[in-house]
């Protein structure tokens, strides 16, 4: 999922910092998710998906 999230972020032309601000999350958290260093809660995934105007299931598409 982390690589998919990174691809989505890069497709939107955002740095990790810009994406974190956009999602109201900490930059370090976005980095950990993209590097698969942490298991994200469903609430974090929902927050990201809502900001991207997509269902969580689409965010999880690999």
């Amino acid at each position: 999922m982390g690589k998919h999230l990174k691809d989505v972020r890069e497709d939107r032309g955002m740095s990790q910092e810009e994406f974190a601000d956009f999602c109201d999350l900490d930059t370090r958290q976005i980095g950990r998710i993209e590097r698969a260093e942490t298991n994200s809660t469903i609430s974090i995934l929902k927050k990201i998906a809502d900001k991207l105007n997509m269902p969580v299931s689409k965010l999880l598409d690999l």
Side-chain angles (χ1 to χ4, degrees):
M1 198 225 50
K3 174 151 177 20
H4 181 65
L5 180 62
K6 182 178 180 180
D7 291 342
V8 169
R9 173 181 63 77
E10 288 177 343
D11 286 347
R12 292 175 181 252
M14 293 183 179
S15 68
Q16 280 186 348
E17 293 81 11
E18 291 168 330
F19 190 70
D21 287 343
F22 175 73
C23 293
D24 299 319
L25 296 170
D26 188 270
T27 303
R28 294 170 293 184
Q29 186 168 20
I30 296 296
R32 287 190 299 267
I33 293 169
E34 288 184 358
R35 292 186 302 275
E37 294 177 354
T38 187
N39 291 323
S40 297
T41 63
I42 192 67
S43 62
I44 295 293
L45 297 179
K46 173 89 169 101
K47 188 174 193 175
I48 293 170
D50 286 350
K51 289 290 189 170
L52 295 171
N53 294 315
M54 65 174 58
V56 173
S57 61
K58 180 71 173 171
L59 184 62
L60 295 175
D61 282 349
L62 304 173

